Amino acid sequence: MYRYDTHDQTLVNERVAQFRDQMNRYLAGRLSEEEFLPLRVQNGLYVQRYAPMLRIAIPYGMLASYQLRKLGDLARDYDRGYGHFTTRTNLQLNWPKLETVPDMLAELASVQMHAIQTSGNDIRNTSTDQFAGIAEDEEVDPRPWCELIRQWSTFHPEFTYLPRKFKIAVTGAAEDRAAIQVHDVGLRLWRDEHGEVRVRVLAGGGLGRTPMIGEVVRDDLPWQHLLTYLEALVRVYNQFGRRDNKFKARIKILVKALGIEEFRRRVDAEWAHLKDGPQTLTREAVDAMHKHFVDPERRVLSEEAIADFERLRGENRAFARFVTNNVHGHKTPGYKAVTLSLKRSGHSPGDLTWEQMHQVADLADEFSHGEIRVTHEQNLVLADVAVDRLEALWQRLDELGLANPTVGTLADLICCPGGDYCGLANAKSIPVAHAIQERFDDIDYLYDLGPLDLNISGCMNACGHHHVGHIGILGVDKKGEEWYQVSLGGAQGNDSSLGKILGPSFARESVPEVIDKVLQVYVGERAEGETFIETYRRIGLKPFKERVYA
């Protein structure tokens, strides 16, 4: 993992001191609400429906065990004992007291963490593949490049007040697990015939009120020019993005209005002033960054140990289910990545108590070299587990309620906090998630359905990524009442697509029955071995609509 140098630590410490002074002036009445607003949002502080909310940055989803313990401490000491992991791999604390936030930021700084640029019209937390550095299908480890982007974008003087928020996602694997096609900028790292890193740059993706799939701006950018090209691209957005209407201010609107050819032309014209300038990356700088992301010292496992794991998997059905759904391949023979499910009936998806944070940190130290990953599906990952320790880890996770063997199934749903917390939400999303979890709790049925993404958002901001769920649910307001709109056919990954609205919205109590009818159509129409999204793409929306609205 990346460790702060003196520059990083000084920068974060000084920001804490600066914000403490700003908070004191605001509480004393020397700063107005209007003056304080841009200051607090740039430090991750929202004022939500019932209380303040602090959003803490987890850069590209990586946590050290001591950092997760600190997050647990903050949830225990300053909040209500739990935190919520988001689809941007950040952690939200939903009940802190306003006056305690500077102390919370100071504690974060003590473990090389912060809440800088987790809100506001700036460049947000860069995200990536949760299996970065260990994936079997990886061409380029994206983590060093993500850190370079983090350092470039933090406090960038030109991009403090962009037209709207700006999100970047990076992948270096054959399979896109970072959803780069639905980000403001998506980066796909690859290698040419000489082994040199090149970058495919997409722009104009995003969800929210006007969902769009990103388009390719440049297919083969040399690695040396990554930062200068990104700078040119964001400059074009900063100059020409709309500021008269916040609903039309994202870069996707600009790309659509200009057309990709004209947008590319403007970026290239801007890049001409930056190319080969001071921010051009050197081999020395990139090599130095790579040294922060070296492989841990892994034990060499014998063939016998690997065979014992396979034997145990064959003998223990419960363990086999966990391995099939929650355990993933690894580039090192004898090692696996393990997903810890933060989804179980009666619990809000993505939530973790302070005790569980401490316990997971202990497991990371014991089983995975002290490292934890956060996924944009709101789960956690231990990325370096030897197969001869998998059964012991599984048993410990089961005791903590984190071994639910349903990752990738309908039960592994994504859900934003919704109207229970968020002041922007039109409807509650957590009760809908609970109702679906209760309705579909037969694990054999979940396995029979196969891979299925169900995503729930409480408003059009789409923090639950409902547009790219195979089944998406959106909370809407109808004359002061909460209703829910269902969409089908969304997908993330290499073949991303946006869901289509099924029809008129439904009352909350009807949603589980609607989902049941949708699944009945799928089960009745699917060909052998066909997944939900494959069946949908073959038969289209009509059969689902006819069944649901019959």
Side-chain angles (χ1 to χ4, degrees):
M1 283 185 62
Y2 180 78
R3 297 289 188 267
Y4 283 7
D5 60 18
T6 54
H7 298 289
D8 292 302
Q9 193 65 56
T10 300
L11 180 148
V12 172
N13 289 344
E14 289 182 350
R15 170 48 72 98
V16 172
Q18 180 190 54
F19 186 66
R20 189 184 296 279
D21 177 65
Q22 292 165 346
M23 176 67 78
N24 289 338
R25 285 188 286 144
Y26 169 71
L27 294 174
R30 297 198 300 273
L31 282 178
S32 69
E33 194 73 49
E34 185 179 5
E35 291 170 322
F36 187 56
L37 173 61
L39 304 177
R40 65 172 171 80
V41 295
Q42 290 179 5
N43 289 278
L45 180 58
Y46 287 75
V47 176
Q48 294 287 70
R49 186 180 296 270
Y50 302 112
M53 181 269 280
L54 180 65
R55 181 180 292 148
I56 299 166
I58 303 176
Y60 38 96
M62 293 195 67
L63 279 171
S65 57
Y66 62 85
Q67 292 174 324
L68 183 57
R69 285 192 192 91
K70 177 58 71 175
L71 295 178
D73 293 345
L74 295 180
R76 178 194 61 204
D77 298 339
Y78 296 95
D79 210 273
R80 293 188 177 180
Y82 64 93
H84 175 76
F85 288 99
T86 75
T87 52
R88 188 120 215 99
T89 73
N90 295 315
L91 182 82
Q92 292 181 177
L93 296 176
N94 288 291
W95 302 98
K97 295 179 180 178
L98 201 64
E99 62 271 17
T100 67
V101 171
D103 291 334
M104 298 171 73
L105 296 179
E107 290 206 34
L108 287 171
S110 73
V111 293
Q112 303 191 345
M113 296 187 74
H114 60 76
I116 296 166
Q117 291 178 206
T118 58
S119 178
N121 296 332
D122 45 36
I123 299 175
R124 301 286 186 88
N125 190 40
T126 299
S127 60
T128 191
D129 181 353
Q130 65 264 33
F131 303 126
I134 59 96
E136 294 173 299
D137 65 337
E138 187 172 86
E139 289 184 73
V140 182
D141 184 349
R143 294 173 299 171
W145 307 94
C146 287
E147 177 58 29
L148 287 165
I149 293 169
R150 183 195 72 82
Q151 294 188 17
W152 162 78
S153 62
T154 302
F155 296 148
H156 195 299
E158 280 192 60
F159 305 142
T160 303
Y161 296 103
L162 293 171
R164 280 289 271 127
K165 57 188 176 182
F166 197 90
K167 299 177 180 179
I168 300 172
V170 189
T171 186
E175 180 183 347
D176 173 20
R177 289 175 288 267
I180 64 171
Q181 294 185 55
V182 288
H183 278 75
D184 297 290
V185 164
L187 304 175
R188 165 74 164 88
L189 306 171
W190 56 281
R191 293 187 185 276
D192 63 18
E193 64 273 19
H194 305 294
E196 287 293 315
V197 174
R198 315 283 281 195
V199 188
R200 190 182 199 204
V201 182
L202 290 80
L207 303 178
R209 187 172 297 270
T210 311
M212 294 185 187
I213 301 293
E215 298 188 66
V216 176
V217 186
R218 192 177 183 94
D219 209 32
D220 59 349
L221 181 72
W223 61 266
Q224 295 92 334
H225 302 302
L226 174 63
L227 297 185
T228 56
Y229 194 80
L230 279 177
E231 180 126 349
L233 192 153
V234 184
R235 275 188 178 184
V236 169
Y237 169 54
N238 201 23
Q239 182 177 358
F240 298 106
R242 291 184 61 171
R243 297 178 185 268
D244 61 321
N245 185 337
K246 71 176 183 179
F247 300 120
K248 297 182 178 181
R250 298 291 292 271
I251 191 175
K252 59 190 176 184
I253 304 298
L254 176 64
V255 173
K256 184 72 172 179
L258 294 176
I260 192 61
E261 294 295 337
E262 174 61 16
F263 180 78
R264 182 184 296 117
R265 187 195 68 77
R266 294 190 187 193
V267 172
D268 286 344
E270 187 66 41
W271 189 38
H273 302 291
L274 300 169
K275 187 179 180 182
D276 299 321
Q279 292 192 94
T280 304
L281 292 170
T282 65
R283 179 73 66 182
E284 181 182 25
V286 172
D287 287 347
M289 190 59 70
H290 273 82
K291 290 178 181 178
H292 288 280
F293 299 95
V294 296
D295 289 343
E297 293 185 8
R298 303 184 180 110
R299 291 184 293 117
V300 177
L301 271 72
S302 66
E303 293 294 330
E304 182 180 2
I306 297 174
D308 285 344
F309 158 68
E310 294 296 344
R311 176 186 54 77
L312 181 63
R313 183 179 181 182
E315 293 173 352
N316 188 324
R317 187 183 181 198
F319 179 58
R321 281 178 161 176
F322 175 77
V323 171
T324 298
N325 291 278
N326 295 42
V327 176
H328 314 270
H330 198 290
K331 69 179 183 181
T332 303
Y335 279 79
K336 300 290 184 182
V338 179
T339 299
L340 285 56
S341 174
L342 304 190
K343 323 290 175 59
R344 54 179 175 147
S345 185
H347 292 75
S348 301
D351 280 8
L352 205 62
T353 68
W354 75 265
E355 295 98 335
Q356 289 174 317
M357 292 186 207
H358 284 196
Q359 291 157 343
V360 170
D362 292 341
L363 294 179
D365 285 336
E366 185 175 349
F367 293 95
S368 190
H369 305 282
E371 181 187 292
I372 305 101
R373 313 280 183 92
V374 186
T375 80
H376 73 267
E377 290 92 357
Q378 299 175 291
N379 291 317
L380 301 180
V381 169
L382 300 182
D384 270 292
V385 182
V387 295
D388 61 357
R389 306 294 313 283
L390 265 176
E391 184 190 22
L393 173 60
W394 166 63
Q395 291 172 340
R396 298 273 290 280
L397 290 173
D398 193 43
E399 293 169 0
L400 301 179
L402 300 175
N404 198 13
T406 54
V407 170
T409 72
L410 175 68
D412 188 29
L413 49 79
I414 290 173
C415 181
C416 76
D420 284 301
Y421 301 96
C422 181
L424 300 175
N426 294 318
K428 293 182 178 180
S429 50
I430 293 173
V432 177
H434 289 171
I436 292 171
Q437 289 170 326
E438 291 172 8
R439 177 69 173 259
F440 304 100
D441 62 351
D442 184 326
I443 196 165
D444 290 321
Y445 181 60
L446 293 174
Y447 289 168
D448 178 66
L449 292 173
L452 212 166
D453 296 338
L454 190 149
N455 300 0
I456 308 173
S457 298
C459 76
M460 283 300 295
N461 285 305
C463 293
H465 295 183
H466 66 278
H467 295 294
V468 290
H470 300 152
I471 301 174
I473 300 174
L474 167 66
V476 295
D477 177 83
K478 282 190 173 184
K479 298 180 180 179
E481 295 184 358
E482 296 181 0
W483 288 69
Y484 296 86
Q485 188 180 82
V486 174
S487 59
L488 302 179
Q492 61 182 19
N494 294 1
D495 193 17
S496 292
S497 58
L498 302 173
K500 294 184 178 180
I501 297 171
L502 186 63
S505 55
F506 307 93
R508 184 194 299 173
E509 59 269 18
S510 302
V511 172
E513 181 66 23
V514 170
I515 303 304
D516 193 21
K517 290 179 180 179
V518 167
L519 296 176
Q520 288 174 23
V521 174
Y522 160 55
V523 171
E525 296 287 340
R526 64 183 172 182
E528 185 176 355
E530 206 170 39
T531 65
F532 180 91
I533 190 62
E534 289 168 343
T535 299
Y536 171 83
R537 288 173 174 171
R538 177 171 57 83
I539 69 175
L541 188 69
K542 185 178 179 181
F544 296 96
K545 187 170 186 174
E546 289 176 346
R547 180 61 175 272
V548 170
Y549 293 101

